Amino acid sequence: MATPHNNAENGDIAKTVLMAGDPLRAKLLAQKYLTDVVMYNEVRAMYGYTGMYKGKRVSVQGHGMGMPSMGIYTYELYNFYEVDTIIRIGSAGAIDESLCIGDIVIGMGACTNSNYESQYNLPGKFAPIADFELVRKAVDTAEELGYKYKVGNIYSSDTFYDDAQSLKEWQKMGVLAVEMEAAALYMNAARANKKAIAICTISDCPFTGQATTAKERETKFTQMMDVALSLV
């Protein structure tokens, strides 16, 4: 059934979905890696495609920026479209100073300043984490392909322009990188008893000022796609 944000019908979407904040990155992945591709969504230009990868059916879709947007799209995929696994392929800013532009970060856990978890009325703080089997397989693939990567906590921030300039505080806790969506993804997965992982590419280094262009973020981050597709 279609939703207000997705005009796919039942059966249009595969059990595993790769998701990118930038819908043009999702389009690139579909065109570069998949065969027999069919577009199932173009509502709000949040493109969604289903195709085949090495004999396996897989979908890829944009999710937009921020936890509210991620929360909407992944909730619908898990709960309305019977998706089992969502793999975020996103960009992130380096907090760990050993990370360089183009390095891969696998988010084992997601710290956050968001109030997203308040909807669950929990008697404490929830620790959003990725699915262990997905993490293990992603690490194995990165090792096999010789890609530079790190595994650990990432920070899902509600703010891109942070007036508090808090990244140094997260750095002292060993947090690797900052992005804006993984915590909501992991919480939606936990609530639906489904699987999730965020695999990100370092697009900028806030402490040094190094940064990629929008076009580079759209087209150049293919190593994380290789890792993500190995999980299908």
Side-chain angles (χ1 to χ4, degrees):
M1 69 171 190
T3 75
H5 317 98
N6 196 325
N7 53 18
E9 297 296 335
N10 289 342
D12 288 348
I13 303 176
K15 293 294 186 182
T16 298
V17 182
L18 278 62
M19 300 194 77
D22 183 351
L24 293 179
R25 188 184 302 135
K27 181 179 181 180
L28 170 73
L29 188 150
Q31 293 174 337
K32 182 179 177 67
Y33 289 95
L34 305 186
T35 60
D36 304 315
V37 177
V38 176
M39 176 187 282
Y40 65 75
N41 186 58
E42 54 186 344
V43 176
R44 295 174 178 258
M46 204 60 68
Y47 305 124
Y49 307 87
T50 296
M52 301 297 294
Y53 178 75
K54 295 184 177 180
K56 297 180 180 179
R57 193 166 182 257
V58 61
S59 296
V60 56
Q61 181 178 321
H63 60 64
M65 290 188 288
M67 279 174 272
S69 185
M70 170 63 93
I72 289 170
Y73 287 105
T74 59
Y75 184 94
E76 291 181 351
L77 290 173
Y78 283 136
N79 294 285
F80 301 157
Y81 291 104
E82 300 181 348
V83 169
D84 292 331
T85 300
I86 295 176
I87 303 163
R88 166 163 152 71
I89 47 170
S91 58
I95 296 178
D96 184 314
E97 292 182 335
S98 71
L99 289 167
C100 301
I101 298 289
D103 290 354
I104 293 172
V105 173
I106 299 168
M108 185 164 56
C111 308
T112 187
N113 61 355
S114 171
N115 201 35
Y116 193 87
E117 71 171 42
S118 65
Q119 64 182 301
Y120 305 119
N121 295 315
L122 299 170
K125 302 296 288 184
F126 182 74
I129 59 172
D131 177 81
F132 174 73
E133 292 298 331
L134 293 177
V135 171
R136 179 160 61 181
K137 189 167 184 180
V139 169
D140 288 345
T141 299
E143 290 277 354
E144 290 169 7
L145 296 175
Y147 294 162
K148 188 181 175 187
Y149 74 94
K150 280 200 166 187
V151 182
N153 263 330
I154 54 180
Y155 168 47
S156 298
S157 178
D158 265 347
T159 53
F160 185 86
Y161 300 104
D162 178 20
D163 198 59
Q165 299 183 349
S166 62
L167 294 187
K168 277 289 184 182
E169 305 306 313
W170 292 103
Q171 186 186 64
K172 70 186 182 185
M173 297 302 292
V175 175
L176 298 178
V178 57
E179 50 86 78
M180 301 185 72
E181 293 86 20
L185 168 61
Y186 290 178
M187 284 188 254
N188 276 0
R191 184 66 182 90
N193 195 27
K194 300 295 182 72
K195 297 179 179 181
I197 186 173
I199 302 170
C200 296
T201 300
I202 295 300
S203 59
D204 60 283
C205 299
F207 299 131
T208 66
Q210 292 176 289
T212 54
T213 65
K215 193 65 176 179
E216 287 171 332
R217 293 191 295 274
E218 176 193 332
T219 62
K220 299 294 186 182
F221 294 169
T222 56
Q223 289 188 350
M224 69 178 171
M225 297 181 188
D226 295 335
V227 175
L229 285 165
S230 75
L231 309 181
V232 175

